[in-house]
Amino acid sequence: MEKQQLKKRWLLFGASGLALVGFGLSLMGEALIHKYEESGFHDWFWLGTAALVVINTGLAFFGKAVTIRVKLDQLNKK
């Protein structure tokens, strides 16, 4: 893979990962609010579950960005 394409992928995965983690944390906050307002089990449970999925997806995307960055750094050393 050429350097330009790797750099685009790194930026895409890095930015997406950070945005997803932030969004997931916001969803988690909403789930906590629903739980302590006692608005029903299904409201906060499914919102919290979705938050965990989004956070983990964001972490996976960010991890992928790190591996792409390592490849980029190795190509730049050559």
Side-chain angles (χ1 to χ4, degrees):
M1 217 178 249
E2 70 178 55
K3 289 181 186 180
Q4 277 300 74
Q5 192 174 13
L6 276 175
K7 189 170 183 179
K8 286 180 185 177
R9 289 186 69 206
W10 169 66
L11 288 170
L12 177 70
F13 278 103
S16 298
L18 290 174
L20 284 170
V21 169
F23 180 60
L25 291 173
S26 295
L27 285 177
M28 183 62 69
E30 284 295 315
L32 288 170
I33 290 169
H34 282 286
K35 181 177 182 179
Y36 289 107
E37 286 181 349
E38 298 177 5
S39 61
F41 176 75
H42 294 292
D43 292 339
W44 66 264
F45 177 79
W46 292 113
L47 194 55
T49 302
L52 289 175
V53 169
V54 173
I55 291 169
N56 285 325
T57 302
L59 291 174
F61 274 36
F62 190 76
K64 181 67 175 177
V66 170
T67 60
I68 292 170
R69 184 61 195 201
V70 168
K71 287 181 186 178
L72 265 173
D73 288 344
Q74 289 174 345
L75 285 175
N76 287 332
K77 287 183 181 179
K78 291 182 181 180

